[in-house]
Each structure stands twice: as C-alpha cells, then as structure tokens.
Amino acid sequence: MSLKPLLPGALSDRGQQMTLGVMGGGQLGRMFVQAAQAMGYFTAVLDPDPASPAGLVAHFHIETPYDDEQGLAQLMQRCDAITTEFENVPAPALITLGAHRPVAPSANCVAVAQDRIQEKAHFVQCGPVSGVYPAPYAAIETPELLAAVPADLLPGIIKTARLGYDGKGQIRVKNREELAAAWEQLGRVPCVLEKLMPLQSECSVIVARGADGQVVAFPVQKNTHRDGILALTEVYEGAVPAELAARAQASTVAIANHLNYVGVLCVEYFVVDNGQGGSDLIVNEMAPRPHNSGHYTQNACDMSQFEAQVRTLAGLPLPVPRQHSPAIMVNLLGDLWFNPNGVRSAASEQPVAPPWAQVLALPGTHLHLYGKLSARPGRKMGHLNITGDSVVQVRETASKVLALLGLPALD
C-alpha cells in the first residue's frame, strides 16, 4: 500500500475528488462513510442491496454482488483507496481490487479472520510475544480428526470455521456423542472445538495501524453478551482491571503487527478464572474492521474508530486517541420495536418505535440509528452511547435508559 497520503478535499491523479470506497453497505460502512464525508472525502459503496444503510448515504452506490467484475471495475474507477466493513467479503475480490488500488485491510488479513482455524493458529504464533493464547482447541475437518479430539477439550463449544457470527454456527457439547451429533448438525463443515473455560467476563481492544507501521490503541472495552449478541459495552476506569487491560492492549498490538495489518482491528478476549483466585486472559477472535464494541468512541473519544479507519486508509497521521468521558454503549436490536417499555406486543402488531423522547431527555444520551427500513427481532437497528462526567453519573443514566427500554439492568 502506498505511503503517499490521500488528502481530504484534494483532487486525485485522475482529476476527480478524492474518493474512499467500502465493500459492504451495512451500518459499519454507513458510519465509515459519514466519518469520511465529515473530513471532506467523496465516498463509494459496493453492495447489492438498493436500501443498504451505507449505500443510502454515500456519494456513489454500486449495486452489484461483491464478486461482480463490472462492479469491482466501477469501484476501482471511482475510488482512490478501498476498505471493507465486514470480514466475509470474498478474498478474491479484495485481491482484484488490491492489484489496482490501495486496499486496507489486505486480502491476506481478511482471509485469516474469515477462517477460525487460521485465526487460532495466528494467535498461537503471537503467543510468545503477547503472552496471551487462545483456549485449548482442535480443528475438526474430517471424521478422523473428530475421533482424535482429546478428551480434555470436553465439555466445549464447536464452531464453524467460516461464516459464523453473533453466536450463529456454534453449539455447546458435553461429551463425544454430543460432539459428533453437533458436527452432523453443522453439516460436517470444517469446525473448531474450543474447551469451555471458567468465564468471568469479556472484553475487547480496538487498534488502528497505518501502512507505516504506526499503531495506536483505544481503551479496553468490557462487553456483555446476551444470546451471543453484544448487549452492552462499558468503558471507564475500573471496568477492566488495569493489569489485564494493559496485557490485552499489548496482545492486540502484537497481533496487528504480526499480520502487518493496515486498518482498524478489533480483538475479543475472555477473562477467565486462573484457578489461583485471580484472572487470566484468553484471546477469542478478531474482526478486521471497526466493531460494535467500539461505537462508544463516537461520543466519548476525540477520535472515533471510524475516523481512525479513514486515517489508516488514507495514510493520514494517527494521533493516540483520548477518551474524555466515561461511557456505556447499549446495542439496540429490533426486538425493542416489538417490546416497547418491556411490554411485548402481539406478533401480528406493527412495530412501535421505542420511547426515544424519554430516553433523549436524559443528559449524555446519544442515539445512533442505522437507517434500516424495517425492524426485525435480533436485527441490529442502532446503538445508544451514554457519556457523563463520572462513572457514577454514566451508570445512573444507563440504568434509567435500560429501564425505559425494558432491558436487563446493569450488573
């Protein structure tokens, strides 16, 4: 990737307005587009959905499949550099784009994140530098490998090696019989079996790394998941013990450096009982893009994860991000539109907007909806960032918000 910066508002070598492109039109692409536009860039989105959230706000929307040759050619013609907003973009498409335009992250990095078997191997390779390893695991790709799974990996969780997200493609198993049945249920596709660990909590780290090797880290995020989907992120002093937070940041930087990564990278960790009355870190998975747990940066930091994505793609300087306010992020799923104020509506009823006026009357509340035209249970419709002068204030406001929305209370 070229180190020559693509300056906002400038004309490209082709005499066009400097344009940044994104593969994928979901909410992460939308927020990237908005950040790029705020800095003065033109934007282009390739996504087959005519109503994609990012496509609706971009300067150019190319409505083709991700592997369509004509669509890729149009994207290259429009753009000076290209990124991706989700990891399941076909790697060959990124290779095609990367042969003609700067692409960040690279196809190689995205390919590692697309495959849990490659991803776990990468984490193991980084372990001697980072001091953080994945949970004990085994790859299952054949009946012979299934039969050879060590007994001490059970009970565990079997996960599809590809295309799993938000808890999908995962099954908990207690013994070999359940493991064999689960592999059949998952279609006998390549999988990873991970040993169940004594989980205390979950956290994640977002880093941004430039093509020149400069890397900066955002604060460590404490995450709460429900039904495999992120529900809450808390980011303030004491949310994650300082020693574990420092290790998680150092591990994420090591993972990014080992990949020679360019872009925004999120790595998720488990905090587990170390059996000696303390805690340890286990690296779980990575996302080669901005992440749901990093949305708080839009209102609590002087540089959001999306601005960092713009900066890494365009080759701009990367100052160390500063968090100026304690923050809690609440994920807003489509269920809220069918469960206003915690009162479940009948399945036949039309969705009802949550009580935004009451929520937004609370100080420090920042609503971000994604422009999706219909609500469905489990669909990510938006998020709410809550900021304040103190941890106490933020938690008090968050408690009121959760009560208004009928969501479970803070721990």
Side-chain angles (χ1 to χ4, degrees):
M1 179 176 176
S2 171
L3 296 180
K4 180 183 178 182
L6 306 175
L7 298 178
L11 292 180
S12 70
D13 294 339
R14 293 165 290 120
Q16 300 176 351
Q17 287 287 336
M18 199 66 71
T19 303
L20 303 181
V22 57
M23 292 282 280
Q27 63 265 18
L28 297 178
R30 179 187 181 94
M31 288 180 275
F32 166 80
V33 163
Q34 291 169 333
Q37 290 175 348
M39 294 177 69
Y41 292 98
F42 274 40
T43 55
V45 168
L46 190 151
D47 189 286
D49 181 2
S52 69
L56 291 174
V57 298
H59 292 88
F60 309 106
H61 181 191
I62 300 166
E63 297 177 22
T64 67
Y66 300 116
D67 56 358
D68 182 81
E69 291 184 3
Q70 292 186 352
L72 295 175
Q74 288 183 53
L75 190 65
M76 287 185 284
Q77 181 184 16
R78 290 284 188 190
C79 298
D80 299 281
I82 300 163
T83 188
T84 178
E85 64 117 33
F86 72 114
E87 53 265 50
N88 290 322
V89 169
L94 295 180
I95 292 172
T96 297
L97 294 172
H100 302 276
R101 294 286 182 270
V103 171
S106 69
N108 288 339
C109 293
V110 173
V112 171
Q114 286 178 343
D115 189 303
R116 291 185 191 275
I117 297 173
Q118 290 189 53
E119 184 180 66
K120 299 287 186 191
H122 174 65
F123 291 156
V124 170
Q125 292 169 3
C126 293
V129 175
S130 68
V132 180
Y133 289 85
Y137 73 97
I140 300 174
E141 300 177 88
T142 65
E144 292 75 20
L145 289 173
L146 176 68
V149 165
D152 61 1
L153 292 186
L154 296 166
I157 304 177
I158 184 172
K159 302 178 180 179
T160 56
R162 301 179 68 87
L163 300 180
Y165 65 97
D166 288 343
K168 297 178 175 64
Q170 305 182 15
I171 302 175
R172 293 196 175 203
V173 293
K174 298 176 183 176
N175 51 48
R176 290 189 179 278
E177 291 73 21
E178 290 186 2
L179 174 61
W183 193 48
E184 288 288 340
Q185 183 179 336
L186 293 171
R188 295 165 65 95
V189 298
C191 289
V192 168
L193 175 69
E194 299 174 10
K195 181 179 177 66
L196 271 177
M197 305 299 288
L199 182 66
Q200 294 178 337
S201 61
E202 299 178 62
C203 65
S204 59
V205 179
I206 289 170
V207 298
R209 187 177 186 275
D212 59 356
Q214 181 189 8
V215 58
V216 297
F218 286 86
V220 179
Q221 301 128 196
K222 179 184 177 183
N223 301 324
T224 299
H225 289 80
R226 298 193 180 99
D227 300 323
I229 301 176
L230 183 67
L232 288 169
T233 295
E234 300 167 72
V235 193
Y236 46 75
E237 187 175 356
V240 177
E243 186 271 336
L244 288 179
R247 289 184 60 201
Q249 282 186 320
S251 170
T252 307
V253 170
I255 289 168
N257 284 335
H258 192 268
L259 279 171
N260 198 25
Y261 191 88
V262 178
V264 168
L265 175 73
C266 180
V267 180
E268 297 181 79
Y269 297 88
F270 295 139
V271 179
V272 299
D273 187 338
N274 66 4
Q276 301 173 353
S279 302
D280 202 359
L281 275 181
I282 296 290
V283 57
N284 177 33
E285 62 185 22
M286 65 182 184
R289 51 170 172 77
H291 193 261
N292 204 163
S293 64
H295 290 341
Y296 77 96
T297 61
Q298 292 172 303
N299 300 107
C301 298
D302 56 9
M303 179 174 67
S304 76
Q305 62 172 344
F306 300 103
E307 181 179 335
Q309 187 183 19
V310 173
R311 286 173 177 259
T312 56
L313 181 62
L316 300 179
L318 273 178
V320 176
R322 179 181 63 90
Q323 184 180 0
H324 52 69
S325 303
I328 293 176
M329 187 280 299
V330 180
N331 210 11
L332 305 173
L333 301 182
D335 306 66
L336 293 175
W337 277 252
F338 298 91
N339 195 26
N341 299 88
V343 179
R344 185 170 294 281
S345 60
S348 60
E349 292 183 9
Q350 292 296 312
V352 177
W356 297 134
Q358 293 170 270
V359 168
L360 294 174
L362 299 170
T365 53
H366 312 272
L367 181 62
H368 300 263
L369 294 181
Y370 302 151
K372 296 182 179 179
L373 303 183
S374 62
R376 298 193 302 267
R379 191 181 196 192
K380 293 178 181 176
M381 299 296 295
H383 65 272
L384 189 80
N385 290 332
I386 303 163
T387 59
D389 293 332
S390 68
V391 175
V392 170
Q393 181 184 15
V394 166
R395 288 182 61 87
E396 286 180 351
T397 303
S399 295
K400 294 175 182 178
V401 166
L402 295 172
L404 285 170
L405 296 178
L407 295 172
L410 290 171
D411 293 335

